[in-house]
Amino acid sequence: MCYHYEESWSREALMPPRNVRSVAGDALVAILRARLADTEARLERAGAREAELSRRLEEMKHFVSVMKIIENYLKGRYREQQELVSRLLSPSVPSW
């Protein structure tokens, strides 16, 4: 048995009806909007994290700077104390 059924296979015939495409398109748009909102939220969190890390870095730089000042001060005081001890322990020459 052979049926001679001819139907034109156009692009429109292969496409789903317009209302199905519209629903699929709406779903895709909703998915893309959700992904965009998620990306924007992640970007905002990353920006806040970057600001916090920058603030902490500046605090650490300030701390290191203060530590260097204290280190230099203590080195100077140590040298002064060494000189004082060496003068006290060195035999004094009588000044007659």
Side-chain angles (χ1 to χ4, degrees):
M1 289 170 72
C2 186
Y3 294 97
H4 293 358
Y5 182 75
E6 287 188 28
E7 184 176 329
S8 66
W9 293 100
S10 67
R11 182 181 173 118
E12 288 77 28
L14 297 175
M15 301 271 301
R18 175 84 174 121
N19 58 351
V20 172
R21 284 186 297 194
S22 177
V23 169
D26 291 346
L28 179 60
V29 167
I31 290 169
L32 292 175
R33 283 185 179 150
R35 287 176 62 187
L36 177 61
D38 181 53
T39 301
E40 288 174 341
R42 285 193 339 236
L43 183 60
E44 187 175 331
R45 286 191 304 271
R49 178 78 175 140
E50 180 185 10
E52 172 64 16
L53 290 173
S54 293
R55 184 189 64 75
R56 289 174 59 187
L57 177 61
E58 290 305 314
E59 283 180 1
M60 288 180 192
K61 285 179 180 178
H62 179 72
F63 176 78
V64 168
S65 151
V66 169
M67 288 292 109
K68 285 182 179 178
I69 292 169
I70 292 171
E71 179 185 29
N72 289 333
Y73 170 77
L74 291 174
K75 281 181 181 178
R77 292 284 297 155
Y78 180 74
R79 273 192 306 274
E80 289 173 6
Q81 294 298 317
Q82 278 183 323
E83 291 170 7
L84 177 62
V85 168
S86 66
R87 273 188 272 129
L88 289 173
L89 295 178
S90 66
S92 58
V93 176
S95 57
W96 311 5

